[in-house]
Amino acid sequence: PVKNIYKCFGCGKAGDPLQFLIDYENLNFDESLRYLAKKYHIEIEETFVDKEHFEEKQKAESLYLVNEYAKNFYSDCLFETERGRTIGLSYFKQRGFREDTIRKFGLGLAPADKDAFTKSALKDRYDAEILKKLGLTSSYNSDFFRDRAMFPIFNLTGKIIAFGGRILQKDPKAPKYINSPETEVYLKSKSLYGIFQAKKAIQQADECILVEGYTDVISLHQAGIENVVSSSGTSLTSDQIRIIRRFTPNIKIIYDGDAPGVKAALRGLDLALEEDMNLKVVLLPNAQDPDSYMRQVGISAFKEFTAKESKDFIFFKLHFLLQEAGTDPTKRSQLVKEVFASVAKIPDVGKRSFFSTELFNVLRNQGYNLSETIIQGEINKLVNKNIANKQKGDVPVLTPFDENESNQPNDNEAIKNQKTDGGHPDSSYGEEAQEKHIAEILVNFGSELFDKELQISVARYILDNIEDVVQYFDHPVYKKIVFESIELLERGVPVETNYFVNHPTNNDIRSFAANSLISDFTYADWERKGVYLETQPPAPLNFLSDARQSLYYFKYHKILKVLKNNQELYLRLSKEGDHVQALLYLKILQKLLNMKKQIAKEINITILE
């Protein structure tokens, strides 16, 4: 609380209160700010760019308020009326839903009267046009949802954006489900049923289970499988995939055994591959849905089955289409093209290479006479075709297979592999340790005075002394901290801790800064009692000598690196007979060797000639 930061010693994440909400609740910056303001009754003064923007925001807030009113109305009808208790609750309890689950998902009952809701809303002075816009009231001023079990649809932050209504009485002329129309706050392609209730569980499980219906979501959630959502009967869209990706790159889709439905759904899943998601598919037996199958076999058997029968999407698609094609050569040829097209959608080169090898093994067992080279070549053609069809800058460009490249991590992977402790790299030695130490001093003590008489700050002292080697910083986060510190000083702004902890754009810097505030040192017994060594100040105040030592060690390591590069250039030029350039590099080498000796002397390193 004193430092106004949080730190998790389990996963290593750290930051300010807003970052806590961003990490823990998966809210964005704007949503986090509004959440805190609402919780602590702080009014946010907002400046809108124009009148149109202000009116759009007011309109959206009005839609949320009316939907919230409707949810409470349907809930009261379910719990507070005789018809609700005898018919509505009976329906939900027949589905196996407990009362706490019903309340958690905001389930309700739309009364059978033709205008019960509309009359109530108008009486409470809600706008008739907004009621019609939301699809709650028809153009004839009657209720759109009548005598139906009601399923509110929440957005990520828990606001009601729409409703689904299921018929209670069997009627061949009436649709089983009806839904709210699309509005400014509800776009079906950008919504996932159950995402508000599931988001924490998805993050914790590092997997999102995708099912088809509302009741599937609720049944699994109640049974303890809480990382489950539904696309509400639509094929998975890019926007829905991106929502899931905020929490996990892993999706497990559970289908019933309806072959035409599965085939139609498979076509839409290539979008998830384009987003670099890891897709697994489970096919339930006997055309059962997750809700009915779980109630039939029990939760333990259901979990065991879905774990055992889970298959990577590419291989699921291949086996599914193979069964459908049978022995027809034309269909078998076409299915190979379809599967190759799916693999070509995968952005990650290494992952594509893996699937091409595995496809070769499976297809060979199925009697296909295709070499692994041919498979890779065909997939490369499709990758290049995809690149040609993309507008420049529209999406990340995929690259064809490359034997050397496939084993190399991309920039993000390289950074990720360096990190442990939520932003602290594993940097116990060498250059990276010194880069980290300098970044920590800049973050923690940059604005402190190094020389009180000359009014030179610690940041100024450090940055002036590494000016000749600053371009040799390797770690991207530490390098950005250094260069932003230089920029701040050039603008006459002090390099202060708060700037980095509340960095406006870079989450890695925010995390590193918060982590660096959690001191790694421990006091000896006498220091805890207030008795300190007279030769130096207490550990947290010892930044002056730390700054000097860090600079020396940093420059020493960087000079070693530059020396090695120049030695290689000198030897190559000498070998090639370019004596003029070789002489130039020889002079540079001599200067670097002198610098190396001088710094080594400062830090008591003995150099053996």
Side-chain angles (χ1 to χ4, degrees), residues 523-533 538:
Y523 282 109
D525 286 341
W526 61 84
E527 287 180 312
R528 281 200 294 269
K529 296 172 184 175
V531 180
Y532 301 105
L533 294 172

Side-chain angles (χ1 to χ4, degrees), residues 401-419:
F401 288 112
D402 184 307
E403 289 182 4
N404 295 322
E405 184 184 5
S406 64
N407 294 321
Q408 298 299 320
N410 58 36
D411 290 343
N412 290 334
E413 287 173 330
I415 294 170
K416 184 172 69 177
N417 291 337
Q418 290 174 348
K419 291 182 181 179

Side-chain angles (χ1 to χ4, degrees), residues 65-88:
L65 284 171
V66 175
N67 276 334
E68 181 68 23
Y69 174 84
K71 191 267 287 185
N72 292 334
F73 176 87
Y74 297 134
S75 181
D76 287 345
C77 287
L78 179 67
F79 288 104
E80 306 299 333
T81 68
E82 185 178 347
R83 180 176 173 80
R85 289 189 293 270
T86 56
I87 295 177

Side-chain angles (χ1 to χ4, degrees), residues 510-521:
R510 288 196 293 268
S511 179
F512 173 80
N515 270 297
S516 70
L517 291 175
I518 309 296
S519 301
D520 291 330
F521 70 87

Side-chain angles (χ1 to χ4, degrees), residues 204-412:
Q204 290 167 356
D206 196 22
E207 181 181 67
C208 177
I209 296 174
L210 189 70
V211 295
E212 291 189 62
Y214 301 143
T215 54
D216 294 329
V217 170
I218 298 169
S219 292
L220 293 180
H221 191 100
Q222 181 176 268
I225 304 174
E226 297 185 0
N227 55 319
V228 56
V229 300
S230 167
S231 58
S232 304
T234 64
S235 296
L236 200 59
T237 67
S238 295
D239 289 315
Q240 290 170 334
I241 293 164
R242 290 187 189 110
I243 292 172
I244 295 172
R245 190 165 183 79
R246 290 176 64 173
F247 304 95
T248 180
N250 305 307
I251 300 178
K252 181 187 286 182
I253 303 172
I254 302 180
Y255 286 126
D256 59 31
D258 175 30
V262 173
K263 188 177 180 182
L266 288 179
R267 286 194 290 270
L269 291 181
D270 283 354
L271 289 171
L273 296 179
E274 286 182 334
E275 296 291 333
D276 203 21
M277 301 293 280
N278 303 314
L279 275 176
K280 291 185 181 294
V281 181
V282 177
L283 195 62
L284 295 177
N286 305 321
Q288 295 203 64
D289 58 41
D291 179 26
S292 64
Y293 185 63
M294 187 185 65
R295 283 191 279 128
Q296 177 184 314
V297 302
I299 183 61
S300 297
F302 180 87
K303 286 181 177 179
E304 185 178 338
F305 178 86
T306 53
K308 182 180 177 182
E309 297 299 321
S310 175
K311 293 183 176 68
D312 277 302
F313 167 65
I314 297 294
F315 302 122
F316 175 87
K317 183 174 184 177
L318 178 61
H319 288 294
F320 185 85
L321 294 178
L322 278 169
Q323 286 181 347
E324 195 171 67
T327 57
D328 187 320
T330 304
K331 287 184 178 179
R332 284 169 67 86
S333 175
Q334 182 59 36
L335 80 86
V336 169
K337 291 179 182 178
E338 283 192 43
V339 175
F340 285 178
S342 291
V343 176
K345 300 283 187 183
I346 300 172
D348 185 85
V349 178
K351 197 185 292 185
R352 286 207 311 274
S353 180
F354 165 78
F355 277 115
S356 71
T357 301
E358 292 301 308
L359 281 175
F360 163 70
N361 294 328
V362 174
L363 291 172
R364 182 179 57 183
N365 293 334
Q366 292 291 329
Y368 285 84
N369 188 22
L370 294 172
S371 71
E372 189 173 350
T373 304
I374 289 174
I375 292 173
Q376 285 195 356
E378 290 300 310
I379 292 173
N380 277 344
K381 287 179 186 177
L382 292 168
V383 170
N384 289 325
K385 186 178 178 181
N386 290 340
I387 294 171
N389 290 336
K390 302 291 182 185
Q391 291 185 354
K392 188 177 180 181
D394 184 32
V395 294
V397 176
L398 310 183
T399 53
F401 288 112
D402 184 307
E403 289 182 4
N404 295 322
E405 184 184 5
S406 64
N407 294 321
Q408 298 299 320
N410 58 36
D411 290 343
N412 290 334

Side-chain angles (χ1 to χ4, degrees), residues 112-120 141-143 146:
D113 299 344
K114 71 173 187 176
D115 57 359
F117 168 77
T118 302
K119 280 183 176 179
S120 176
N141 290 322
S142 58
D143 293 352
R146 295 201 297 271

